[in-house]
Amino acid sequence: MATTFPEPVPSPGQWPVDPQDDVPISGDRIWVDGCFDFSHHGHAGAMLQARRLGTELFVGVHSDQAILENKGPTVMTLEERVAAVEACRWASRCIPCAPYVTSLPWVSHYGCQYVVHGDDITSDSNGDDCYRFVKAAGRFRVVKRTPGISTTDLVGRMLLCTKGHFIKSVKGTLSGEEGSGSPGEQKRSANELMQRIKDYATDESGLQPGPQVWTWSGSSSAKIDGVAEEAGLFETLVDGKLPRPGQRVVYVDGGFDLFSSGHIEFLRQVLALEELEGHQRGWYEPTQRAARIHDYGEDYAPAYIVAGIHDDDVINHWKGLNYPIMNVFERGLCVLQCRYIHAVVFSAPFSPTQSYLEALPSGVPKAVYHGPTTFIPLTYDPYTGPKKMGIFKEISNHAFQHVNAGEIVDRILKSREAYEERQRAKLQKGVVEELTRSKEAAN
């Protein structure tokens, strides 16, 4: 009996993104799909592992309606979820409105040989495996699911207002001296976390060095209130690509909590403004481009964007309640996977003072950018330093500027009953999915 697919196959000209004609299937072209409802680092981890299996990664994103029918209401809109996927350094192409049950005709149309998914089971509204067709065709590959983070986990933190996810000290956690469990378990968790940071600090291939990663240490006063003019101490966490000749160093900072389209569009606009500045100084002239390729073997961007990530206690000091919803490592990994940044500073001070900026290992920034809005009730201007230096710049209004941690939590709380039902349904589906997984493992 012929296999039928639950989703119609688009006609030429009706595919969500080009190409409109079928392309030859390549073993180096990989497909992943999902809801991607929150751009947490678990999603990025799946894309990284999939990207390492080939040279191109196509990412299908399900529609709001398909998710509602099979899983429950989404927190983020399709447009917001697509923006997050497109910002991932390892994604080559984003395919909106991809079928919830992965369809071979869709995968083959875009020339993808294999479909990759984590080592958990995902089922549709009938309880059937969403990947049953590609598994039957022998075109399914499994990668490790990132432990300890999921959309369900994050929604649970919001509904229950928990603080157990907070990190007291970045350095203490990475040294295995803090955290839950026995000393041996703390050390093992620290090693796994450090490896994850190294993995996320890779280039577009997922295999070569990418963003540079530092940690910063300073007094509590310097971290929280910005009164103290401290250079502090920068230490290298991951050796990545440093600024190259001619690149303008640019600094941005924030909590980046529930990393989403608001943060992403801000970072994208920073890069776009710096590219415009590059045009004005002749960066893209053929002779200059040829000289860079001759000297360094490749071309590179006109700006080097460094992102500072604030500690959990700093954000909680200003926002209260159980903010941040994501801890500093979860937030840092989200920023680290974003294609619009080139370096990350963990434990950055809330106020980037002149002393701090002049001590940055990347060099003194030519510009410090800030977004058009803030979710933090400020009692002072944290950007006095860069304003005195004449390097402060503000991004203009944009379509996603309202999307921040507060907005996302409000969405959850306004539809609390629906999301609580989603949580219950997820647990029930989890039992069935675990039985399916066990049966597959036994065969």
Side-chain angles (χ1 to χ4, degrees), residues 1-41:
M1 187 173 65
T3 300
T4 57
F5 293 92
E7 295 281 349
V9 179
S11 304
Q14 300 301 311
W15 291 93
V17 296
D18 290 337
Q20 293 300 317
D21 295 321
D22 291 351
V23 299
I25 294 175
S26 169
D28 287 329
R29 196 173 295 123
I30 307 298
W31 175 283
V32 298
D33 56 23
C35 304
F36 302 102
D37 195 16
F38 287 141
S39 49
H40 61 66
H41 74 272

Side-chain angles (χ1 to χ4, degrees), residues 17 41 64 117 147 152 159 170 173 296 315 324 329 340 404-405 415:
V17 296
H41 74 272
D64 296 342
H117 187 65
T152 304
L159 294 175
V170 165
T173 300
Y296 301 100
I315 295 175
F329 290 117
Y340 306 131
N404 55 36
S415 302

Side-chain angles (χ1 to χ4, degrees), residues 231-389:
L233 176 64
F234 289 89
E235 296 178 72
T236 298
L237 203 58
V238 179
D239 276 316
K241 294 181 178 179
L242 293 168
R244 300 187 182 185
Q247 280 189 312
R248 277 167 49 97
V249 174
V250 169
Y251 186 77
V252 298
D253 64 1
F256 299 103
D257 194 14
L258 295 175
F259 190 72
S260 58
S261 55
H263 306 116
I264 290 164
E265 181 60 17
F266 162 69
L267 294 172
R268 192 193 68 79
Q269 288 204 20
V270 169
L271 188 60
L273 287 173
E274 286 298 315
E275 287 175 345
L276 179 61
E277 194 278 338
H279 278 287
Q280 294 171 348
R281 60 187 171 104
W283 183 267
Y284 295 100
E285 292 293 326
T287 54
Q288 290 204 27
R289 182 173 182 274
R292 290 192 296 271
I293 294 174
H294 176 269
D295 292 341
Y296 301 100
E298 62 179 354
D299 198 8
Y300 49 88
Y304 185 90
I305 300 174
V306 181
I309 317 292
H310 307 318
D311 278 336
D312 295 346
D313 60 343
V314 173
I315 295 175
N316 190 254
H317 171 83
W318 290 103
K319 292 186 180 180
L321 300 176
N322 66 323
Y323 289 105
I325 306 301
M326 287 178 168
N327 68 45
V328 64
F329 290 117
E330 294 166 347
R331 293 180 284 111
L333 289 169
C334 285
V335 176
L336 198 52
Q337 60 84 41
C338 182
R339 66 172 75 247
Y340 306 131
I341 64 96
H342 303 91
V344 163
V345 180
F346 279 96
S347 303
F350 187 72
S351 181
T353 63
Q354 183 168 347
S355 299
Y356 168 81
L357 294 171
E358 289 178 345
L360 275 172
S362 57
V364 182
K366 298 292 185 183
V368 173
Y369 285 88
H370 183 56
T373 59
T374 182
F375 172 49
I376 296 177
L378 298 173
T379 57
Y380 77 101
D381 182 0
Y383 294 99
T384 301
K387 287 178 180 178
K388 286 182 178 179
M389 296 168 70

Side-chain angles (χ1 to χ4, degrees), residues 109-159:
H109 169 79
Y110 288 104
C112 300
Q113 175 70 38
Y114 296 110
V115 175
V116 171
H117 187 65
D119 55 359
D120 54 331
I121 299 293
T122 300
S123 59
D124 61 17
S125 57
N126 297 319
D128 296 323
D129 187 346
C130 289
Y131 296 96
R132 56 191 182 274
F133 298 119
V134 292
K135 286 179 178 179
R139 293 170 62 179
F140 186 71
R141 296 291 181 269
V142 176
V143 295
K144 287 288 294 180
R145 181 182 178 275
T146 303
I149 189 71
S150 69
T151 300
T152 304
D153 293 332
L154 295 174
V155 171
R157 291 178 192 178
M158 295 179 222
L159 294 175

Side-chain angles (χ1 to χ4, degrees), residues 57-280:
L57 179 62
F58 283 58
V59 185
V61 180
H62 308 318
S63 69
D64 296 342
Q65 185 61 33
I67 299 170
L68 178 64
E69 292 172 356
N70 288 279
K71 189 175 182 179
T74 60
V75 180
M76 316 301 288
T77 66
L78 176 62
E79 187 180 18
E80 292 164 353
R81 293 184 286 114
V82 166
V85 168
E86 289 180 337
C88 181
R89 186 179 302 108
W90 306 297
S92 306
R93 184 79 62 87
C94 179
I95 317 295
C97 299
Y100 196 85
V101 176
T102 306
S103 164
L104 277 170
W106 278 68
V107 174
S108 297
H109 169 79
Y110 288 104
C112 300
Q113 175 70 38
Y114 296 110
V115 175
V116 171
H117 187 65
D119 55 359
D120 54 331
I121 299 293
T122 300
S123 59
D124 61 17
S125 57
N126 297 319
D128 296 323
D129 187 346
C130 289
Y131 296 96
R132 56 191 182 274
F133 298 119
V134 292
K135 286 179 178 179
R139 293 170 62 179
F140 186 71
R141 296 291 181 269
V142 176
V143 295
K144 287 288 294 180
R145 181 182 178 275
T146 303
I149 189 71
S150 69
T151 300
T152 304
D153 293 332
L154 295 174
V155 171
R157 291 178 192 178
M158 295 179 222
L159 294 175
L160 300 173
C161 289
T162 57
K163 290 185 179 182
H165 57 284
F166 283 11
I167 300 295
K168 293 181 180 179
S169 165
V170 165
K171 294 178 68 175
T173 300
L174 289 176
S175 66
E177 297 171 2
E178 293 183 12
S180 59
S182 66
E185 290 171 330
Q186 290 176 353
K187 194 67 177 177
R188 186 163 53 252
S189 296
N191 292 337
E192 291 172 354
L193 178 56
M194 190 63 236
Q195 184 59 53
R196 189 166 297 128
I197 293 171
K198 290 178 179 178
D199 287 340
Y200 283 49
T202 51
D203 67 358
E204 292 81 359
S205 72
L207 300 171
Q208 300 298 322
Q212 177 80 15
V213 185
W214 293 288
T215 60
W216 184 79
S217 301
S219 68
S220 296
S221 177
K223 277 195 174 186
I224 292 177
D225 57 30
V227 173
E229 276 282 347
E230 289 183 19
L233 176 64
F234 289 89
E235 296 178 72
T236 298
L237 203 58
V238 179
D239 276 316
K241 294 181 178 179
L242 293 168
R244 300 187 182 185
Q247 280 189 312
R248 277 167 49 97
V249 174
V250 169
Y251 186 77
V252 298
D253 64 1
F256 299 103
D257 194 14
L258 295 175
F259 190 72
S260 58
S261 55
H263 306 116
I264 290 164
E265 181 60 17
F266 162 69
L267 294 172
R268 192 193 68 79
Q269 288 204 20
V270 169
L271 188 60
L273 287 173
E274 286 298 315
E275 287 175 345
L276 179 61
E277 194 278 338
H279 278 287
Q280 294 171 348

